[in-house]
């Protein structure tokens, strides 16, 4: 039997951290859909045409996620993500993943609104732009990637605006999503709240 958890929200809100913990808790598979757009963005940076890159994408292209988790690739991802044909090319893969037996957590921007409008549980994870930028800045430094807070904040704000204002599948909470503001929550508190919400939908 399938059970789909949709976790959406803006950049560096904690979607991935919460999704991984939720997947582990319930024994579900997890797909970070941002990696699909990052993989297409990375191809664009090497001169490939984005729609063709999206149509040719395979699971193997996500094999080295850390290489895709850089600020340049994030910006490229948000630029290819406005192209309707890029988004369309990635729909079937995401929906098939969502309906796999045993349950699935997908995190992104449009999971609860477009990819899985019938998901059994939907969370919209958010936090202030300043909190998100400082978390992402710290994370980049810990990974040995040069970073400065003001640049990260500007990057987060620019991507949020592009994601929220695009015509196709903009970033916005589904009408039936539960909003989880993690600005003042530790990871443990945010994860515990998410698990409680999802557990309430399992009965
Ligand atoms: O997936 P998304 O970009 O939404 O965020 P993430 O990669 O899960 O989280 C961004 C950073 O914030 C990570 O370094 C997390 O450890 C951290 N984080 C946090 O400090 N407090 C939270 N409540 C959630 C995440
Ligand atoms: O980790 P972070 O939240 O910073 O970014 P991400 O989730 O890896 O997504 C990178 C970019 O891909 C976003 O800024 C969006 O433009 C795009 N994206 C999207 O449009 N739809 C999704 N379902 C996931 C990501």
């Amino acid at each position: 039997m399938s059970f789909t958890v949709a976790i959406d929200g803006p950049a560096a809100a904690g979607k991935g951290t919460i999704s991984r913990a939720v997947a582990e808790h319930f024994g579900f598979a997890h797909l970070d859909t941002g990696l699909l757009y990052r993989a297409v963005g990375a191809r664009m940076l090497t001169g490939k045409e984005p729609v063709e890159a999206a149509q040719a994408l395979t699971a193997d292209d996500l094999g080295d996620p850390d290489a895709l988790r850089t600020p340049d690739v994030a910006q490229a991802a948000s630029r290819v993500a406005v192209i309707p044909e890029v988004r369309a090319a990635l729909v079937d893969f995401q929906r098939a993943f969502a309906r796999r037996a045993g349950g699935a957590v997908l995190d992104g921007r449009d999971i609860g609104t477009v990819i899985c409008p019938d998901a059994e549980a939907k969370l919209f994870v958010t936090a202030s732009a300043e909190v998100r930028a400082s978390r992402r800045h710290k994370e980049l430094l810990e990974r040995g990637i040069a970073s400065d807070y003001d640049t990260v904040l500007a990057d987060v704000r620019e991507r949020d605006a592009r994601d929220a204002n695009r015509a196709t599948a903009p970033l916005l909470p589904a009408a039936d999503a539960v909003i989880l503001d993690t600005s003042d929550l530790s990871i443990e508190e945010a994860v515990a709240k998410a698990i409680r919400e999802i557990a309430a939908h399992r009965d």
Side-chain angles (χ1 to χ4, degrees):
M1 216 190 66
S2 72
F3 185 95
T4 307
V5 181
I7 300 191
D8 292 303
K15 304 178 299 292
T17 306
I18 291 170
S19 298
R20 280 191 296 276
V22 160
E24 191 177 343
H25 179 87
F26 291 103
F28 295 163
H30 170 223
L31 177 65
D32 172 357
T33 66
L35 287 180
L36 303 173
Y37 295 89
R38 284 172 182 261
V40 176
R43 292 281 165 97
M44 181 182 72
L45 293 177
T46 64
K48 298 257 169 26
E49 203 285 312
V51 176
E52 284 170 23
Q55 287 167 347
L57 203 70
T58 69
D60 290 346
D61 296 314
L62 312 179
D64 186 5
D66 272 355
L68 299 174
R69 291 200 177 98
T70 66
D72 287 354
V73 173
Q75 275 293 343
S78 85
R79 287 194 277 127
V80 300
V82 306
I83 306 170
E85 293 83 2
V86 165
R87 306 197 70 84
L90 303 175
V91 169
D92 288 350
F93 177 78
Q94 294 175 84
R95 288 198 178 139
F97 191 97
R99 284 296 163 209
R100 58 167 54 201
V105 185
L106 285 79
D107 75 281
R109 301 293 186 288
D110 62 339
I111 308 304
T113 50
V114 173
I115 301 297
C116 304
D118 298 328
E120 279 75 13
K122 298 182 186 178
L123 293 179
F124 191 86
V125 180
T126 189
S128 72
E130 290 78 9
V131 165
R132 291 185 284 118
S134 92
R135 289 175 182 167
R136 181 54 49 88
H137 171 57
K138 187 163 166 261
E139 178 195 327
L140 288 168
L141 293 180
E142 281 166 7
R143 287 171 49 208
I145 297 173
S147 178
D148 114 286
Y149 170 78
D150 289 336
T151 308
V152 176
L153 180 60
D155 172 88
V156 157
R157 288 207 164 116
E158 187 183 340
R159 280 201 291 134
D160 285 356
R162 199 182 285 129
D163 291 347
N165 294 323
R166 68 185 173 220
T168 308
L171 167 69
L172 93 171
D176 52 350
V178 170
I179 312 285
L180 182 56
D181 189 327
T182 71
S183 301
D184 300 315
L185 299 181
S186 68
I187 292 178
E188 292 73 21
E189 289 167 333
V191 166
K193 277 202 171 189
I195 288 174
R196 271 203 301 280
E197 281 300 336
I198 295 160
H201 288 88
R202 293 212 85 200
D203 307 324

